[in-house]
């Protein structure tokens, strides 16, 4: 098998905690396997880009074990709050983790699935993924990666030849199995299950595992873990807001302790700055609306703190929780200045600039992506009205983070609004034409290159 000898570095630390965290499962036997998307750019980080298509299907569609990593798929166990209601009947119901490896940057990466078949946690589900759901996840992860949002990445999408029936889209519809690449798949809900079961030994082992393999620290201190997760979660919340992205389902079983966004269902990007904008039709109270996302993610981190009380005192956990707000306020400034393409100056000037930008964006109801595109590098265009006059003065002293010399700036801004998502899906559904999807991915990657820091783009 032509695995890259320089980049393929298999690992298997999940075995250390599988006895209380996961169950061995088998993938479904699909009637067909047709590659629809293979992300060789991401695969190169773990030495899989050299696989032939046949080998790609064998390992990422039929799930034959990759050499020297996990011996087989493992469905993770967890509980969680779903729209603030505790549910102890959860777990990987249509996915599993099946491989771990050390990436070219030295960090642990895991391969997990969506749509790979039933598990002990499927309940009444069929364990499958619609092809449209897989296409939507490709679009979400590619756009978020380009916008510098911490996210899982879609490594593979393979059509599997089954007819699925769903209540929220025309049926029967086509099926697929997707592979995502993430630095870990352990959720806040994994800790909630251990707390629910009063498993102190398991909780201590899981804390030490996450600190060692996800954060690179040789520690078993639950307060330290909460501090780090709160910082990462705050960073994620800030980047969601900067991108105008609404995940849609910020339940505690959907919050990864690595601070990476993942598991994209009813997501949407907001066209304008509307704090009440929601993604899910079933979010009737707006619990996870655009403007409530920081609070929602902080609430989930509080559930981690509550779970860790099984092995830690309350007072230091409460102190660690307070770091979320501090981290969020700092990171929202950093994230917005990054997307505006200006170099931070430090101190109160940066915060004043961001506050002025947020006011103008909200008042003008201008398109979010259009505004970031026009202002990149620190220049407010002359045709912008008086709503932007304060920002024009505040941003004038700022140096560009990078020049607008990339070809991307000669065109139009890329967005990922729902109408375009549906337009990309339509030719796939109607005539199996994937051109629009592949073209969109290519354009989004061009945008990502134009936005990236100069040293990252080199």
């Amino acid at each position: 098998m032509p695995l890259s000898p320089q980049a393929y570095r298999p690992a298997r630390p999940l075995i250390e905690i599988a006895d209380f965290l996961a169950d061995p499962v088998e993938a479904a036997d699909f009637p067909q396997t047709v590659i629809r998307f293979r992300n060789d750019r991401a695969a190169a980080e773990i030495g899989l880009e050299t696989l032939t298509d046949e080998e790609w299907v064998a390992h990422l569609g039929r799930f034959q074990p990759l050499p020297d990593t996990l011996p087989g798929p493992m469905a993770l166990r967890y509980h969680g709050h779903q729209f603030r209601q505790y549910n102890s009947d959860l777990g990987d119901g249509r996915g599993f983790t099946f491989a771990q490896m050390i990436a070219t940057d030295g960090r642990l990466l895991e391969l997990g699935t969506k749509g790979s078949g039933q598990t002990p946690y499927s309940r009444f589900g069929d364990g499958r993924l619609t092809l449209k759901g897989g296409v939507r996840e490709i679009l979400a992860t590619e756009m978020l990666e380009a916008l510098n949002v911490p996210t899982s990445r879609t490594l593979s999408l393979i059509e599997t030849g089954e007819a699925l029936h769903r209540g929220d889209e025309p049926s029967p519809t086509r099926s697929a199995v997707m592979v995502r690449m993430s630095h870990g798949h352990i959720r806040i809900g994994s800790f909630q299950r251990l707390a629910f079961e009063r498993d102190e030994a398991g909780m201590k082992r899981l804390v030490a595992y996450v600190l060692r393999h996800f954060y690179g620290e040789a520690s078993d201190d639950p307060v330290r873990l909460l501090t780090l997760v709160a910082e990462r979660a705050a960073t994620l919340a800030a980047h969601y807001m900067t991108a105008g992205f609404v995940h849609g389902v910020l339940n505690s079983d959907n919050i990864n302790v690595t601070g990476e966004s993942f598991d994209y269902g009813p997501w949407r990007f907001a066209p304008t700055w509307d704090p009440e904008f929601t993604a899910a039709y079933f979010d009737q109270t707006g619990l996870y609306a655009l403007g409530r996302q920081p609070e929602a993610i902080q609430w989930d981190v509080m559930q981690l703190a509550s779970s860790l009380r099984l092995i830690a005192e309350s007072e230091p956990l409460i102190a660690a929780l307070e770091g979320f707000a501090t981290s969020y306020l700092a990171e929202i400034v950093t994230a917005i200045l990054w997307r505006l393409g200006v170099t931070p100056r430090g101190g109160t000037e940066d915060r004043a600039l961001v506050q002025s930008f947020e006011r103008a964006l909200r008042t003008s109801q201008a398109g979010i992506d259009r505004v970031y595109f026009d202002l990149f590098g620190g220049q407010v265009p002359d045709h912008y009205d008086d709503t932007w006059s304060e920002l024009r003065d505040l941003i004038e002293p700022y140096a560009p983070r990078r020049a607008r010399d990339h070809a991307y700036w000669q065109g139009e801004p890329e967005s990922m609004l729902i109408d375009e998502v549906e337009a990309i899906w339509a030719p796939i559904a109607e005539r199996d034409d994937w051109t629009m999807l592949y073209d969109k991915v290519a354009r989004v990657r061009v945008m990502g290159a134009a936005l990236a820091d100069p040293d990252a783009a080199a």
Side-chain angles (χ1 to χ4, degrees):
M1 173 170 55
L3 292 166
S4 172
Q6 291 78 31
Y8 184 71
R9 297 170 57 195
R12 48 196 294 161
L14 186 59
I15 293 175
E16 300 171 9
I17 55 172
D19 61 308
F20 69 90
L21 192 79
D23 294 281
V25 293
E26 294 184 2
D29 184 14
F30 300 115
Q32 71 177 41
T33 45
V34 180
I35 298 174
R36 295 304 190 180
F37 178 77
R38 60 174 284 172
N39 188 345
D40 283 323
R41 182 173 72 169
E45 297 180 24
I46 52 175
L48 299 186
E49 82 284 5
T50 53
L51 293 178
T52 66
D53 282 353
E54 292 75 15
E55 290 164 339
W56 188 275
V57 165
H59 295 294
L60 305 182
R62 298 293 182 185
F63 301 103
Q64 296 174 13
L66 285 157
D68 303 318
T69 181
L70 302 179
M74 296 183 182
L76 301 184
R77 309 170 188 170
Y78 46 86
H79 293 179
H81 279 88
Q82 299 187 309
F83 285 84
R84 303 289 165 90
Q85 299 298 312
Y86 193 78
N87 189 345
S88 61
D89 191 21
L90 294 176
D92 282 339
R94 57 172 174 167
F96 49 64
T97 301
F98 68 95
Q100 295 179 295
M101 49 271 297
I102 306 301
T104 51
D105 66 359
R107 293 182 66 190
L108 179 71
L109 278 173
E110 295 183 349
L111 303 185
T113 65
K114 193 173 184 178
S116 49
Q118 292 179 314
T119 77
Y121 309 105
S122 298
R123 301 188 300 282
F124 302 106
D126 59 15
R128 269 45 174 190
L129 170 69
T130 66
L131 184 63
K132 183 179 183 180
V135 168
R136 283 175 49 86
E137 187 133 347
I138 291 169
L139 293 171
T141 54
E142 289 286 335
M143 190 69 174
L144 291 174
E145 181 184 1
L147 293 178
N148 203 34
V149 178
T151 180
S152 65
R153 283 171 289 170
T154 306
L155 182 66
S156 172
L157 183 68
I158 292 176
E159 188 168 358
T160 54
E162 296 176 309
L164 304 180
H165 292 267
R166 296 290 187 267
D168 56 355
E169 63 179 277
S171 296
T173 189
R174 293 152 71 178
S175 62
V177 63
M178 188 196 77
V179 174
R180 71 165 64 95
M181 190 166 79
S182 180
H183 289 102
H185 289 87
I186 294 175
R187 303 150 163 84
I188 287 175
S190 305
F191 290 85
Q192 290 181 280
R193 183 185 71 83
L194 294 172
F196 182 88
E197 297 177 352
R198 309 300 297 173
D199 184 354
E200 293 186 28
M203 184 74 79
K204 291 176 181 177
R205 289 172 62 191
L206 187 57
V207 167
Y209 177 89
V210 171
L211 283 170
R212 178 182 176 187
H213 296 292
F214 297 170
Y215 288 95
E217 297 193 5
S219 170
D220 60 359
D221 181 1
V223 176
R224 178 60 178 163
L225 174 65
L226 181 62
T227 299
L228 293 170
V229 173
E231 290 175 355
R232 290 272 186 91
T235 296
L236 175 62
H239 283 266
Y240 273 177
M241 301 302 286
T242 302
F245 178 75
V246 184
H247 183 281
V249 189
L250 293 175
N251 297 329
S252 60
D253 59 297
N254 281 341
I255 302 297
N256 194 329
V257 294
T258 64
E260 290 170 294
S261 178
F262 79 125
D263 202 10
Y264 300 100
W267 64 269
R268 288 195 184 187
F269 284 87
T272 62
W273 189 257
D274 176 7
E276 298 180 1
F277 181 86
T278 59
Y281 68 88
F282 47 82
D283 187 6
Q284 297 177 356
T285 66
L287 180 64
Y288 298 142
L290 172 64
R292 296 186 67 182
Q293 290 185 121
E295 182 271 336
I297 293 174
Q298 184 180 35
W299 191 91
D300 289 326
V301 176
M302 290 171 61
Q303 307 320 302
L304 175 60
S306 179
S307 300
L308 291 172
R309 287 180 62 193
L310 182 67
I311 59 171
E313 296 296 324
S314 296
E315 189 171 337
L317 290 173
I318 292 171
L321 273 176
E322 294 173 353
F324 183 97
T326 302
S327 295
Y328 177 79
L329 291 174
E331 193 60 37
I332 192 70
V333 171
T334 300
I336 288 178
L337 293 181
W338 181 90
R339 196 168 176 195
L340 285 172
V342 296
T343 303
R345 303 185 73 196
T348 59
E349 291 175 285
D350 291 348
R351 185 64 194 163
L353 174 63
V354 166
Q355 289 173 339
S356 176
F357 173 75
E358 290 174 333
R359 284 194 298 270
L361 191 61
R362 182 174 61 251
T363 301
S364 69
Q365 283 297 289
I368 293 173
D369 298 307
R370 177 88 253 174
V371 169
Y372 278 124
F373 182 90
D374 289 348
L375 271 61
F376 188 87
Q379 297 295 319
V380 179
D382 293 339
H383 67 270
Y384 274 46
D385 63 22
D386 289 345
T387 304
W388 301 88
S389 59
E390 180 187 61
L391 180 67
R392 182 178 282 109
D393 293 336
L394 290 174
I395 206 170
E396 195 275 333
Y398 279 77
R401 177 171 58 82
R402 65 174 304 174
R404 292 178 63 110
D405 55 0
H406 193 284
Y408 171 71
W409 304 112
Q410 308 308 311
E412 290 293 311
E414 288 295 334
S415 296
M416 193 68 76
L417 303 182
I418 188 62
D419 288 347
E420 184 177 9
V421 173
E422 292 295 329
I424 290 169
W425 168 249
I428 297 173
E430 294 166 4
R431 55 185 183 276
D432 206 30
D433 182 353
W434 292 75
T435 305
M436 287 184 67
L437 173 68
Y438 300 146
D439 287 350
K440 182 64 174 181
V441 169
R443 294 200 308 274
V444 167
R445 290 182 177 183
V446 168
M447 178 188 72
L451 291 173
D453 294 324
D455 56 346

